[in-house]
Amino acid sequence: MAHPLRTALPRSWYALFAHHAAPLPIQAQAIPLLLAGRECLLCAPTAGGKTEALVAAGLEQLKPEPKDRPQILYICPTRALVNDTFRRLSPIAARLGVRIGRHTADHPPDNTRLPALLITTPEALDSRLVRHPATLRSLRWLLLDELHLLAGSLRGDQLAVLVTRTRAIVRVDGGELRVAAASATVDAPEAVAARYLVNPEVVSSTEGGARWEVSRVSIGGLPEAVVALCAQPGKTLVFANARNDVEGLAHALRDQRPFGDSVYAHHGSLVKDERERVERQFLDRKNAICIATNTLELGIDIGDVDRVAMYGPPPDVASFLQRAGRAGRRSRVAELLLLERNQADHLRFEFLERAALEGKLYGALPAYHPASVVQQAASMLMQNRNRLVTAAAVLARLPPWQAGHLTEDRLTDILGARPDYFTRQPGGVFTAGKALEYAFDRGRMHSQIAGESAGVVVRDRLTQRAIGVVQSAGESGSMTIGGRAAVIASRRGDDVFVDRLPGTAALPAKFKPAGRPIWSQADARAYVEHLGLKKGHAGLAPGLWIHGLGDAAGLVFAAALARLGFVVEADGPLVLRTSESLLTLPPTDVPEVLIESALNKHERKLAKLTGQGPDFAHLPVGERERSLILALHPTALRRAWAGLVWTVISEDVVDRINLALGRT
């Protein structure tokens, strides 16, 4: 008997499912809803079939005209994912005779002859809205992939505005845009969907992922132990949290059996061409090992990975799931190797594995980052053919959940605080300032991402090809870059030229430190309870007040309690440090005025902890205060602190807490 979807997809069934026995659960559930015009958020494990489900309705409903304008716009959070999605969907499009293309800085399209299916990034969509908005009028579907990487961030706030602006463009010719999204790991899916979709329906499936076979191994942080554990035939992907660890492990594993020189490094300080070379070669190898940071957490096609190893715990449960999801895509059995360097790793891995199996992400969805409006106002200004904008016009293009946090007068003041970008004219009108014109001419006005400070470019001496960017080249004369030893041959300006010599001993190159992960309040509370505190309890121990309210709250309460005469120091997301003899109860009622004062005292640190972005510093003082209050909710913080039940904890719980903090 034919599958019901076969009847519903007379045009695209074969193209989508020719090589599959039957549609996967998320496809069977979501495709009928999408065909009916419903806007859906698809939640399913990695390799659960979300991509095919997202594009099915759009491909089925393609119209013969227009031939040179996109009808489906597929948004990926990174250029690497754009390239990978292009590779994955190209055979499907070819079977249908549908033109497919990419739009990124690396792959600029021909705007006079655009494909029906265009894959791009939020920043490239922003550029298209500014420079070629008419090319979007024929859109029928806007598809948002890997939404968990964007939702709740500055880029997520930007994307929500771009969705609203794109809907308005489509309505110019009387069209109606449908929006759908997908994610493997998203917390509060209903709340996330409401930010991007109209009357959304969340479609979830836990089927389609691989079964885990987990081994936890204590390695003491020694690369030699990783060599022994990973010396198995097949393809192994090792995740490390720091670029230096990637380089050190790749160098230690090179030339070891069974991989030989099929050892690869992949991280953000390597140039794009180097990363893509690694992806291609790792994809083609049957026996190989790749060590990567979170750059390979996403769905980039690197072939069927036999096992995933994690060198130290990832920052949160969602990241654990993403990394685990890279293994067993075809065999449906994921071999996971958790490499514990110390007892802190052991405890955190224990927590992450349990939370992942229980489906508890412990994430947080920030309310809104008001500084994101600056970039979008600049984009709307440059989109206007007269190169002008008003606060009222900007507010009208914001989604309601963002516009509700602003007023026309306040937004006028926000724009007026950036005279380099917005030149104030009579009547509340703003035109482009010199800095905005400069950023527009160079394509630099579309991103919410703060650029990394410039470093030293490492180039191959023979080919002159860039390999990567390091913080400094040092004076040692050698380094590992891309997992290979490199001897510095010469220097010219900010560039160093190297000879890559196999078998040479060298230390990893110096990269800008990534910083410690920022934990949400939900994550921190769940973790202290995992370590032995009762639900809702806080712990008193020699030298420690154990609150588990997260990084930002720890910083805030340390400052507020200092105003009350307590000598305490914030130390991460779990504890406040006190004097060794202090076992007295902390005050349960901390006045809200002191909490708000602490926000002002630690404005810069808290802005970083809450991801306020590069434009935050340019906001008027009052708007910066409002932004931090919106992010941290002083009333809720006060209530959370007051609700803690403080008790003296047992020695075994104190020991676990100290081990988790890296104290023995």
Side-chain angles (χ1 to χ4, degrees):
M1 182 177 177
H3 194 283
L5 277 185
R6 188 160 196 157
T7 304
L9 298 169
R11 180 168 184 253
S12 57
W13 168 267
Y14 174 78
L16 287 164
F17 303 114
H19 303 295
H20 303 278
L24 292 168
I26 194 69
Q27 297 164 347
Q29 294 176 53
I31 291 175
L33 294 170
L34 295 170
L35 286 169
R38 295 295 303 273
E39 298 200 356
C40 301
L41 171 60
L42 282 54
C43 301
T46 302
K50 298 183 296 297
T51 299
E52 293 80 2
L54 270 185
V55 300
L59 290 174
E60 184 66 31
Q61 297 169 351
L62 279 178
K63 299 177 187 263
E65 296 292 339
K67 293 182 178 180
D68 58 355
R69 289 290 180 264
Q71 296 184 47
I72 307 169
L73 198 64
Y74 193 110
I75 306 294
C76 298
T78 67
R79 295 181 198 176
L81 266 179
V82 167
N83 295 335
D84 187 66
T85 304
F86 176 78
R87 287 194 297 268
R88 292 175 59 193
L89 291 180
S90 288
I92 294 173
R95 293 180 202 123
L96 285 167
V98 172
R99 291 176 54 233
I100 183 173
R102 291 169 281 185
H103 177 192
T104 66
D106 305 323
H107 299 282
D110 177 0
N111 288 301
T112 65
R113 189 172 178 270
L114 291 168
L117 171 55
L118 185 62
I119 307 169
T120 189
T121 63
E123 290 74 20
L125 172 56
D126 190 274
S127 176
R128 181 162 296 281
L129 279 167
V130 171
R131 292 171 170 81
H132 307 285
T135 63
L136 298 172
R137 290 184 179 179
S138 60
L139 278 183
R140 295 297 175 262
W141 281 97
L142 180 61
L143 309 175
L144 315 176
D145 202 2
E146 301 285 4
L147 192 57
H148 70 281
L149 289 177
L150 300 171
S153 69
L154 276 168
R155 294 181 74 210
D157 292 349
Q158 174 193 29
L159 180 60
V161 186
L162 296 177
V163 169
T164 301
R165 292 170 62 189
T166 306
R167 288 187 194 273
I169 290 290
V170 172
R171 284 197 295 268
V172 169
D173 287 343
E176 184 177 7
L177 183 69
R178 300 293 187 190
V179 184
S183 177
T185 52
V186 62
D187 220 357
E190 289 80 8
V192 169
R195 293 190 171 190
Y196 303 92
L197 315 182
V198 173
N199 298 321
E201 182 153 346
V202 175
V203 183
S204 299
S205 173
T206 58
E207 299 180 51
R211 175 175 56 83
W212 294 353
E213 291 183 354
V214 182
S215 300
R216 284 201 252 132
V217 184
S218 175
I219 60 168
L222 299 174
E224 295 80 4
V226 181
V227 173
L229 288 165
C230 293
Q232 304 176 54
K235 291 173 70 169
T236 299
L237 177 58
V238 181
F239 284 105
N241 297 319
R243 297 171 189 183
N244 280 333
D245 286 336
V246 169
E247 292 288 347
L249 288 170
H251 186 53
L253 286 160
R254 184 167 301 283
D255 298 326
Q256 302 289 332
R257 296 182 63 186
F259 304 117
D261 65 351
S262 295
V263 176
Y264 304 100
H266 195 285
H267 56 75
S269 288
L270 298 174
V271 297
K272 173 184 69 71
D273 289 345
E274 181 76 5
R275 294 196 304 271
E276 290 184 353
R277 179 190 67 81
V278 166
E279 293 161 21
R280 287 193 303 271
Q281 293 190 7
F282 191 57
L283 172 65
D284 293 338
R285 298 291 191 272
K286 289 185 178 180
N287 287 294
I289 186 166
C290 181
I291 301 91
T293 56
N294 61 353
T295 52
L296 285 183
E297 276 187 15
L298 303 177
I300 298 169
D301 187 6
I302 49 177
D304 192 10
V305 175
D306 294 290
R307 67 194 60 84
V308 162
M310 302 185 201
Y311 184 73
D316 52 36
V317 184
S319 183
F320 183 93
L321 285 166
Q322 287 292 136
R323 295 180 184 190
R326 301 301 286 146
R329 292 186 167 216
R330 292 175 178 84
S331 66
R332 299 298 173 186
V333 177
E335 184 181 341
L336 306 182
L337 197 58
L338 310 183
L339 307 178
E340 300 170 351
R341 300 161 299 179
N342 48 45
Q343 283 296 308
D345 280 3
H346 173 79
L347 291 168
R348 187 64 177 169
F349 266 134
E350 189 178 69
F351 168 76
L352 292 172
E353 183 185 351
R354 189 188 74 177
L357 289 170
E358 293 175 353
K360 297 176 180 177
L361 298 180
Y362 301 117
L365 185 64
Y368 175 46
H369 303 84
S372 65
V373 76
V374 175
Q375 186 276 331
Q376 278 299 284
S379 177
M380 294 178 207
L381 187 156
M382 300 308 289
Q383 180 185 345
N384 186 293
R385 67 181 61 184
N386 297 314
R387 292 290 195 266
L388 55 85
V389 80
T390 64
V394 174
L395 280 175
R397 283 291 180 264
L398 298 182
W401 64 270
Q402 292 187 14
H405 292 294
L406 296 163
T407 66
E408 185 176 338
D409 288 344
R410 283 172 47 210
L411 184 51
T412 298
D413 291 341
I414 288 172
L415 302 185
R418 286 298 307 267
D420 57 331
Y421 261 48
F422 304 98
T423 300
R424 193 191 296 258
Q425 306 292 347
V429 173
F430 290 94
T431 56
K434 290 184 178 179
L436 178 54
E437 293 278 9
Y438 181 89
F440 173 75
D441 289 342
R442 286 155 181 79
R444 297 177 183 172
M445 60 160 287
H446 306 292
S447 176
Q448 293 275 12
I449 306 170
E452 289 192 10
S453 57
V456 177
V457 179
V458 180
R459 295 182 180 275
D460 185 281
R461 182 179 64 85
L462 295 177
T463 65
Q464 306 290 295
R465 181 177 59 85
I467 302 168
V469 179
V470 300
Q471 190 173 23
S472 65
E475 303 299 330
S476 65
S478 66
M479 69 181 80
T480 65
I481 182 78
R484 298 173 182 268
V487 177
I488 297 173
S490 63
R491 301 170 186 260
R492 187 165 68 238
D494 287 335
D495 293 3
V496 297
F497 296 82
V498 301
D499 293 314
R500 303 179 84 175
L501 303 176
T504 303
L507 294 175
K510 293 182 178 179
F511 303 102
K512 183 179 179 181
R516 186 182 57 76
I518 299 168
W519 291 7
S520 70
Q521 186 174 123
D523 190 341
R525 275 306 311 168
Y527 192 43
V528 294
E529 289 166 12
H530 174 78
L531 294 173
L533 269 67
K534 293 180 180 179
K535 188 175 180 63
H537 281 225
L540 295 172
L544 297 176
W545 283 348
I546 304 151
H547 57 81
L549 293 178
D551 288 279
L555 192 63
V556 167
F557 282 110
L561 292 170
R563 293 283 300 274
L564 294 174
F566 292 90
V567 181
V568 292
E569 178 185 354
D571 188 10
L574 306 183
V575 303
L576 297 175
R577 296 199 181 276
T578 70
S579 65
E580 287 294 329
S581 59
L582 188 61
L583 275 175
T584 57
L585 284 169
T588 56
D589 188 15
V590 178
E592 193 165 323
V593 65
L594 295 186
I595 295 175
E596 292 185 1
S597 175
L599 302 189
N600 297 331
K601 178 179 179 180
H602 292 296
E603 178 184 280
R604 290 181 63 183
K605 288 183 179 178
L606 291 170
K608 184 176 181 180
L609 286 173
T610 55
Q612 298 299 317
D615 287 315
F616 176 83
H618 300 285
L619 295 178
V621 173
E623 292 301 327
R624 296 200 302 271
E625 292 175 355
R626 287 190 185 96
S627 294
L628 290 181
I629 288 173
L630 179 63
L632 294 169
H633 307 290
T635 302
L637 276 183
R638 182 188 185 195
R639 189 163 53 243
W641 180 269
L644 294 175
V645 179
W646 292 89
T647 56
V648 177
I649 58 176
S650 63
E651 287 187 11
D652 62 323
V653 175
V654 173
D655 288 343
R656 284 172 63 84
I657 295 286
N658 280 323
L659 288 172
L661 296 172
R663 299 170 65 187
T664 56

